Amino acid sequence: MISPLPVAGPPSADASDSGPDANAPQAQPRGVPDLDLPNRTHQGQDHAAQEPEAKTGAEGSTGIPATALDAYKKAERTLSSARPSCHLPWQLVAGIGRVESVHASGYGLRTDGTSAKPIRGPRLDGKQFALIRDTDGGRWDGDAEFDRAIGPMQFIPSTWADWGADGNGDGVNDSNNIYDAALATGHYLCTGGRDLNRPADLDKAVLSYNNSREYVNAVRDWMRTYQGGKVTETPDDAPAIPYRPDPADTHVPATRKPPRAAETGAAARPQPQREHITDRSPTPRHNNPVKPQPANKPAKKPAPAPNPHAGADHRTVTRLERIGDESLGERTAGEVFARRPQVRALDAHGHPVAGIKVSYLITGTGAAYFADHATSTTVSTDGRGITAAPAVRAGDRPGRVVLTAAIPGKYSPAATTFTATVRQAPAPTADRLELLTPKPVRADTNSRFLDLLQVRAMAGNNSTPGIRLTATLLNSAGEQEQAQESTHGPYFKAEHGDPVRTLILPGTDSDGRLTLPQLYTDEDSGSYTLRLATPEGVTLDIPLTVGETATD
């Protein structure tokens, strides 16, 4: 027999290789599910004072909010491709959504799948439900001491860490979003090679979600009801009283009696009423007629440990959630990174916060910048709490770039980072060199060439900047001879005025042009050659004439 208050933690098996079972943390007592059955809800049994419309909207018990219905059907379509052998029906996901939170109705369900109010189960401190100590640092459930089930499908954080999914394609796995939660539920039920067309596998799958026979019966009953075509799409904002899985949540009056111990799992599970009576200090009984305590009055809970998120409102950003991969990729100087950094601003309940300024700062060993070579900018979040930085362009210094998104303010803890790499630009190449100075090129002895020689490097029809040329002065050679570096005749001047006949020149400019240094002559007349060469071996030979021949 399973202990009614087991200690649970993250599953040890890889979520992708083996499926959870009835001992999984998710299956342990983690809140009060709504175990009303469809026929009992129609007939109003045990709920004479509660109208069906008060819970599920104007269409009664078979109504499903439009966004929730879309999320369930989308999960089925996704799983039919991702896990075709599982045969997941959307009505099964809807059955779990109905039992866990009545499809998030009454919580301000939005068309993007989020809800205006968080849906949370009780603190899993082992006093009434399972003992599951904090596994997410309070990121999802707002409790840094004990875990709490979260979202419309009531995942505990450690389970969400393994099976969380992005059901609406926004790049975020959000347990409070019904699209993400519905898809994650499908993956959880299908994992381990289950075929949900087989009753035994279906039974094991639901038991792994909540190890209670009453729970399985309720989920399967709702699934069959929805499969029978008894489904009405209702508006997301239809009037509804939230069904609260946490019996200690007293924001709204309770709408039903807490289930019997047998309905929440093992028979030995303590009932909320007993917990409440045990917590009360001894009081003498009186014969005076006293109005009995309502059966559904929640037990007094011990004061929770200090919560770092306590008191945070929906305008206080507690974290920035990165959208997409951390890396923006690699680019060379002058190129724009393909993806713009994007973040979502979230409050302590995981809800997006609109109209918040987010600053972006570029640092690192590599050079990168926004428009006008700025390295910082500030952008406000949109209605979905999302903000995107301007396009980022790689600079001329290779290395690693770090881009930090943060909420301005000295004490703001909300920040996240992106990384990018600026590559060393490949060396430019040219396939030909052109002489731009008119021919012939002549000079007298012991003089200089009057015109400075100018050339242009080309690659195809485009000029090529940054080409480094080597200039070498050669003596004239016959048809059977190979030209050699000249030891006399024309020359360049070195830094201190000494003659040099081989010189490495600066790179061509942005137009691919290069003007050569002044060429001088000595007393030796004759014909010579100035050879210009690129590192890849592309050459240009320029004939030079010195002396008497120069005046012909």
Side-chain angles (χ1 to χ4, degrees):
M1 175 176 290
I2 300 173
S3 168
L5 299 175
V7 177
S12 58
D14 187 342
S16 62
D17 296 329
S18 61
D21 57 22
N23 293 314
Q26 182 69 25
Q28 306 311 311
R30 51 182 165 73
V32 181
D34 186 349
L35 299 178
D36 279 341
L37 302 180
N39 61 338
R40 194 165 60 183
T41 305
H42 283 311
Q43 298 166 7
Q45 295 179 8
D46 299 330
H47 295 275
Q50 177 187 324
E51 294 296 330
E53 289 77 11
K55 181 181 290 186
T56 58
E59 299 297 334
S61 65
T62 58
I64 298 179
T67 296
L69 184 59
D70 183 55
Y72 302 147
K73 291 182 176 180
K74 189 172 183 179
E76 180 193 75
R77 292 194 299 270
T78 302
L79 269 295
S80 67
S81 298
R83 298 177 184 263
S85 60
C86 176
H87 303 112
L88 173 80
W90 69 261
Q91 293 90 344
L92 173 59
V93 184
I96 290 179
R98 175 59 173 77
V99 173
E100 292 291 355
S101 67
V102 193
H103 312 303
S105 59
Y107 284 90
L109 185 61
R110 305 183 180 108
T111 56
D112 65 354
T114 60
S115 56
K117 300 176 182 178
I119 307 173
R120 294 179 181 169
R123 299 185 89 205
L124 300 178
D125 55 9
K127 295 183 178 180
Q128 184 177 348
F129 301 96
L131 172 60
I132 305 180
R133 300 192 184 280
D134 175 67
T135 59
D136 68 334
R139 174 186 179 186
W140 294 111
D141 58 8
D143 193 323
E145 185 177 4
F146 296 100
D147 272 348
R148 302 174 67 172
I150 44 178
M153 309 304 278
Q154 287 292 277
F155 279 98
I156 62 170
S158 62
T159 304
W160 184 257
D162 286 332
W163 277 275
D166 179 13
N168 58 357
D170 65 354
V172 180
N173 295 353
D174 183 358
S175 59
N176 294 297
N177 186 296
I178 200 163
Y179 283 101
D180 295 356
L183 181 58
T185 298
H187 279 295
Y188 184 89
L189 297 172
C190 285
T191 194
R194 292 175 179 141
D195 179 358
L196 300 182
N197 277 345
R198 298 167 53 190
D201 279 4
L202 176 61
D203 197 67
K204 290 178 182 177
V206 181
L207 281 172
S208 73
Y209 208 92
N210 188 310
N211 187 20
S212 160
R213 180 53 54 184
E214 294 275 355
Y215 183 91
V216 174
N217 292 342
V219 168
R220 297 185 69 159
D221 237 17
W222 282 109
M223 179 185 73
R224 285 190 292 267
T225 297
Y226 297 142
Q227 287 174 332
K230 299 178 179 179
V231 178
T232 303
E233 181 179 301
T234 62
D236 293 338
D237 58 356
I241 297 176
Y243 177 77
R244 301 187 179 275
D246 182 0
D249 191 343
T250 57
H251 288 85
V252 228
T255 60
R256 67 186 295 270
K257 294 184 295 184
R260 297 182 299 275
E263 292 178 333
T264 58
R269 193 173 298 161
Q271 299 181 20
Q273 295 91 331
R274 293 181 181 177
E275 178 77 9
H276 175 63
I277 294 171
T278 302
D279 288 345
R280 294 175 59 190
S281 57
T283 305
R285 295 182 179 268
H286 299 280
N287 293 326
N288 297 333
V290 178
K291 185 176 180 180
Q293 291 286 342
N296 62 342
K297 185 174 182 179
K300 290 184 178 180
K301 303 294 287 184
N307 184 345
H309 301 311
D313 61 28
H314 292 288
R315 293 283 300 173
T316 301
V317 177
T318 60
R319 64 187 176 92
L320 290 178
E321 189 169 63
R322 185 171 51 239
I323 297 177
D325 294 337
E326 178 182 6
S327 174
L328 301 178
E330 300 182 355
R331 286 293 184 270
T332 55
E335 295 179 339
V336 175
F337 288 92
R339 188 165 62 86
R340 295 166 59 188
Q342 285 185 292
V343 297
R344 188 196 308 270
L346 300 173
D347 64 16
H349 307 297
H351 295 155
V353 183
I356 295 297
K357 291 183 177 180
V358 177
S359 65
Y360 292 90
L361 175 66
I362 297 175
T363 58
T365 57
Y369 52 88
F370 302 116
D372 299 326
H373 286 76
T375 56
S376 64
T377 187
T378 300
V379 186
S380 296
T381 57
D382 62 16
R384 299 171 298 164
I386 295 176
T387 179
V392 181
R393 187 179 297 274
D396 56 4
R397 185 177 68 250
R400 183 173 183 267
V401 173
V402 178
L403 191 146
T404 303
I407 300 296
K410 182 177 179 181
Y411 300 106
S412 174
T416 189
T417 59
F418 297 83
T419 60
T421 301
V422 177
R423 295 189 303 250
Q424 178 71 51
T429 60
D431 55 26
R432 72 180 188 280
L433 300 174
E434 297 178 347
L435 177 64
L436 301 180
T437 305
K439 296 180 181 179
V441 182
R442 302 172 181 271
D444 292 329
T445 57
N446 294 316
S447 182
R448 63 179 181 175
F449 289 85
L450 296 179
D451 295 323
L452 296 179
L453 301 181
Q454 190 176 62
V455 296
R456 179 168 57 196
M458 300 290 292
N461 294 324
N462 300 317
S463 58
T464 308
I467 301 294
R468 299 293 300 271
L469 301 178
T470 300
T472 306
L473 289 158
L474 308 174
N475 56 22
S476 297
E479 294 182 359
Q480 305 298 323
E481 299 177 354
Q482 184 175 0
Q484 301 291 329
E485 182 178 350
S486 179
T487 58
H488 58 275
Y491 62 91
F492 297 107
K493 284 185 178 181
E495 182 179 356
H496 299 292
D498 297 329
V500 293
R501 293 181 170 87
T502 295
L503 189 65
I504 297 178
L505 304 174
T508 55
D509 64 16
S510 59
D511 293 324
R513 297 171 181 260
L514 174 66
T515 300
L516 276 64
Q518 179 68 61
L519 262 175
Y520 298 89
T521 63
D522 58 14
E523 68 275 8
D524 295 312
S525 62
S527 297
Y528 301 89
T529 299
L530 172 61
R531 175 167 293 172
L532 302 177
T534 71
E536 294 76 32
V538 177
T539 61
L540 171 66
D541 287 348
I542 304 173
L544 305 177
T545 303
V546 180
E548 296 177 359
T549 311
T551 61
D552 292 347

